[in-house]
Amino acid sequence: MTEPVLEIRHVHKNFGALRASHDINLTLLPGEIHALIGPNGAGKSTLIKQIAGNLRPDAGEIRFLGQDVTELDTVSRARMGLGRSFQISSVIPEFTVLQNVVLALQGAQGTSYHFFRAVLKDRETTAKAREAAERVGLGDRLAVWAQDLSHGERRKLEIAMALALEPKAFLLDEPMAGMGTEGAAEMTRFLDQLRHEAPILLVEHDMDAVFSLADRISVLDYGEIIATGTVEEIRTNPEVRRAYLGEDEEAV
Amino acid sequence: MRRETIINAALAIGLLAIPLWAHVTGEIFTITLSTRVAILALAAVGLNLALGLGGLISFGHAAYFGLGGYAMGILAFHAQNYDPIFTWPFVFAGTKQMLVIWVVALIVSGLAAFVIGMLTLRTSGAYFIMATLAFGQMLYYLFVSWPKYGGEDGMSIYLRNDFPGVNTLDPIQFFLICYVLLMLGIFVSWRIARSPFGLALQASRQNAERVETVGITPFRIRLAAFVISGMITGLAGALMADLNRFVGPTMFSWQTSGEIMILVILGGVARLYGPVAGAALFILLEHWLGGVSDYWLAFVGALLLLVVLFARGGLIGSLAGREVAHD
Ligand SMILES: Nc1ncnc2c1ncn2[C@@H]1O[C@H](COP(=O)(O)OP(=O)(O)OP(=O)(O)O)[C@@H](O)[C@H]1O
Ligand SMILES: [Mg+2]
């Protein structure tokens, strides 16, 4: 069996009396898209935050690239190769698209303590940043301020920033939220390509996208994973249909 | 050319041309005023790095200004008394050499900024403002209660310090020293703003969480910026002490911190020449209105209010418009 890139073992997280994560076990294998679905408030983003290092689990272990990273902070995990996008778009608003991607690049390269070199005059870096922006379809928006981008473009910029890190795994929290049908289809095609670079843990409500992309799906409900399996297994799982897909729905 | 570039050039040339003209016509007082502008602008260039680029609202930059001033005062005091500062583990004598004094001022204020930054940069918002203020006040009281160096009364240095090949007692020559250092300070902050470090610093101001997820630690970036910022303000303190040939604990007072901050805000936060515009405006107002009324600071207060409410970019911002995206 192949070694998982990311492995979550018995992770627990409570907010007061609320069980946001309860005994979560999950793996992300090389080359796969593993979708994490579940109703609003199920604890998807909470799990992503624990994997990325923004939240500390109450118990359990998070392993990345065969190493226990539970005690590491966000910065170290990012430097190990966790590329992340946020549910609520998170970019640097007063930077241009290019500057945002360059920032991600210099984070990956560890060149943030160069005080005297003009960052945007560095051909190699800007070329790489341009390439990442072009890949998500922002090639003609390089000089636009991030705060002036449309919602969908901001989502793409986030992906470009994650891409620039050349990560070993992607954590994408609802990359298609609010993108519209056209945008979602475009993003779906893009993610389909992206999986060849690094496996993706994908939180997404858009079921068309999930069913067409995912190799495996895990369903989260009230902080618990109630099922993990292939698209077909999840579609036909009665518990899943009850909890999430809606019992009365005939054909999903 | 960008409009802001033209304004910056006008400020740089104006600040040089006015004292040179005053030198020709023999108006010593104008040269002294211009020197004050240059020195205060340098202090504000330091703060602008932390405040403008980093969003670090330090209300304690008087600490570095004062330490720079006392670095000069103490070194010169020991030199004029022929009394070494310490003799163990090596003999450290006082000096009247500006170059040495500047290096000491840079080191001392940099170290202080490092320690203060380590302790305060974990906080944010009002806590950070209060914590930096507290450190400034601590140093103020330390020097008030240190009789050896003049205590509350401060101490006078009888002769301006020396610089190789320059007659520092000649007002225009001393002005030129200050002007060159100001330009150096601006050059450094210009380079930093465009560097990878500057990018990380400005990003940390806007969205620290995002910065972390690309593998950069905002705390360390801010600390480095805080140290550089303190050093520049410290150097300005040493120059101010030399201009006045006097150092006193008021250099450490919170009013001084406030004044430096006012310069930055009046001129335009994060604008390269904001400190110069702010310092020039401040000194002009002090000079004109100070003669008319003792309450001139109330006018400055009203002006500050107008800037904060209606012209967030300060003087530079209202003249040059919104900052354009960098090339
Ligand atoms: N920091 C917090 N403190 C307290 N409760 C929290 C915190 N963060 C999340 N929660 C709660 O934990 C539960 C899970 O939230 P989470 O954001 O993980 O859900 P989600 O599955 O991502 O939902 P959505 O699909 O709406 O994004 C919710 O009930 C939420 O209110
Ligand atoms: Mg969520």
Side-chain angles (χ1 to χ4, degrees):
Chain A
M1 219 191 99
T2 44
E3 182 84 355
V5 175
L6 188 68
E7 189 176 5
I8 291 128
R9 288 185 186 163
H10 305 294
V11 160
H12 291 258
K13 180 80 198 174
N14 293 343
F15 295 118
L18 183 87
R19 289 197 325 196
S21 304
H22 185 75
D23 198 25
I24 305 276
N25 288 284
L26 187 137
T27 57
L28 183 66
L29 301 172
E32 80 165 338
I33 293 184
H34 190 149
L36 187 62
I37 64 173
N40 291 114
K44 304 180 295 293
S45 296
T46 303
L47 185 60
I48 294 284
K49 283 176 199 157
Q50 291 174 90
I51 299 171
N54 306 86
L55 268 181
R56 176 175 289 254
D58 296 338
E61 188 181 341
I62 292 159
R63 301 182 66 83
F64 180 46
L65 306 175
Q67 188 186 330
D68 180 359
V69 298
T70 321
E71 298 300 318
L72 296 184
D73 63 6
T74 312
V75 173
S76 325
R77 294 187 204 188
R79 305 217 55 180
M80 280 180 73
L82 261 186
R84 181 191 176 188
S85 80
F86 291 78
Q87 180 169 357
I88 314 279
S89 288
S90 179
V91 295
I92 313 295
E94 293 168 32
F95 278 8
T96 62
V97 167
L98 186 67
Q99 284 175 316
N100 267 281
V101 185
V102 165
L103 178 77
L105 271 173
Q106 78 182 43
Q109 296 164 346
T111 50
S112 291
Y113 292 93
H114 291 202
F115 294 87
F116 267 96
R117 214 186 53 206
V119 65
L120 296 181
K121 293 265 150 69
D122 181 338
R123 288 246 170 71
E124 203 179 318
T125 306
T126 45
K128 268 190 177 170
R130 198 164 278 142
E131 191 195 310
E134 271 160 14
R135 286 191 52 197
V136 298
L138 289 175
D140 52 351
R141 306 284 279 160
L142 291 172
V144 179
W145 291 48
Q147 62 191 8
D148 298 334
L149 292 177
S150 74
H151 176 79
E153 288 174 326
R154 228 171 290 165
R155 306 251 60 159
K156 291 180 186 170
L157 175 54
E158 272 210 80
I159 307 277
M161 291 174 80
L163 208 60
L165 293 169
E166 292 180 20
K168 305 283 194 311
F170 288 99
L171 302 175
L172 306 183
D173 197 350
E174 300 195 25
M176 293 158 199
M179 289 264 271
T181 11
E182 184 98 354
E186 194 187 328
M187 184 62 88
T188 303
R189 282 194 296 277
F190 177 71
L191 294 185
D192 207 15
Q193 296 297 312
L194 193 60
R195 82 171 92 202
H196 300 302
E197 274 165 58
I200 304 171
L201 184 62
L202 176 69
V203 173
E204 191 46 69
H205 281 298
D206 181 334
M207 282 306 136
D208 288 339
V210 167
F211 286 147
S212 76
L213 283 171
D215 299 295
R216 287 192 297 157
I217 300 176
S218 288
V219 185
L220 205 59
D221 193 28
Y222 292 108
E224 268 182 87
I225 292 193
I226 57 170
T228 296
T230 63
V231 172
E232 216 36 55
E233 284 162 359
I234 294 300
R235 264 192 217 259
T236 52
N237 183 316
E239 206 182 339
V240 173
R241 297 178 70 98
R242 201 164 34 248
Y244 185 50
L245 299 174
E247 241 178 337
D248 47 314
E249 221 168 315
E250 290 296 304
V252 186
Chain B
M1 223 194 309
R2 290 193 310 145
R3 192 140 148 210
E4 187 167 339
T5 313
I6 297 169
I7 294 167
N8 293 351
L11 280 167
I13 294 167
L15 182 57
L16 182 61
I18 290 170
L20 283 178
W21 178 248
H23 176 67
V24 173
T25 55
E27 293 166 68
I28 304 290
F29 183 63
T30 303
I31 303 178
T32 305
L33 279 188
S34 307
T35 312
R36 267 175 64 83
V37 170
I39 295 171
L40 286 176
L42 182 62
V45 165
L47 179 63
N48 202 23
L49 207 71
L51 176 70
L53 296 187
L56 307 170
I57 308 173
S58 165
F59 202 1
H61 258 51
Y64 318 113
F65 196 64
L67 284 173
Y70 271 87
M72 174 290 205
I74 291 171
L75 286 168
F77 170 81
H78 283 273
Q80 73 191 9
N81 294 350
Y82 302 104
D83 163 29
I85 298 172
F86 55 78
T87 51
W88 192 91
F90 53 89
V91 179
F92 189 50
T95 178
K96 295 285 286 176
Q97 283 302 326
M98 279 187 192
L99 285 169
V100 181
I101 289 169
W102 296 344
V103 170
V104 173
L106 286 168
I107 292 173
V108 170
S109 46
L111 281 176
F114 180 78
V115 172
I116 294 174
M118 283 289 275
L119 296 170
T120 58
L121 283 169
R122 302 265 181 214
T123 65
S124 61
Y127 294 100
F128 179 73
I129 299 175
M130 286 298 125
T132 49
L133 173 65
F135 276 105
Q137 290 303 95
M138 264 169 56
L139 285 167
Y140 172 76
Y141 287 112
L142 175 71
F143 279 90
V144 161
S145 54
W146 197 347
K148 176 157 189 192
Y149 298 121
E152 220 172 331
D153 300 327
M155 54 184 168
S156 290
I157 302 305
Y158 303 115
L159 279 177
R160 194 165 282 155
N161 294 300
D162 307 320
F163 189 94
V166 176
N167 173 11
T168 56
L169 283 172
D170 179 6
I172 193 68
Q173 295 192 39
F174 182 64
F175 166 81
L176 286 172
I177 289 177
C178 298
Y179 182 81
V180 168
L181 288 179
L182 170 64
M183 287 301 136
L184 262 174
I186 290 174
F187 176 72
V188 165
S189 72
W190 175 69
R191 289 304 293 245
I192 284 181
R194 301 154 44 96
S195 72
F197 174 77
L199 202 69
L201 179 62
Q202 295 170 74
S204 302
R205 180 190 77 228
Q206 299 172 50
N207 189 345
E209 192 182 39
R210 206 353 142 181
V211 172
E212 284 178 7
T213 51
V214 299
I216 302 170
T217 313
F219 174 78
R220 282 201 228 149
I221 296 283
R222 288 177 180 143
L223 183 60
F226 203 65
V227 168
I228 300 169
S229 165
M231 288 170 82
I232 295 176
T233 302
L235 180 62
L239 293 176
M240 188 57 96
D242 238 327
L243 173 67
N244 297 336
R245 276 168 281 168
F246 172 79
V247 285
T250 48
M251 284 184 90
F252 285 107
S253 67
W254 63 268
Q255 286 93 335
T256 304
S257 292
E259 224 171 89
I260 302 173
M261 196 183 290
I262 288 171
L263 303 182
V264 172
I265 296 170
L266 277 184
V269 175
R271 298 305 183 107
L272 187 61
Y273 271 75
V276 181
L281 184 64
F282 190 83
I283 294 292
L284 282 178
L285 288 175
E286 182 184 45
H287 178 57
W288 287 333
L289 297 175
V292 180
S293 154
D294 287 340
Y295 298 107
W296 74 277
L297 273 170
F299 291 103
V300 174
L303 192 67
L304 194 64
L305 213 60
L306 285 176
V307 167
V308 171
L309 290 177
F310 303 111
R312 296 297 288 270
L315 204 58
I316 301 275
S318 9
L319 294 174
R322 182 186 170 188
E323 202 173 0
V324 293
H326 299 286
D327 49 329

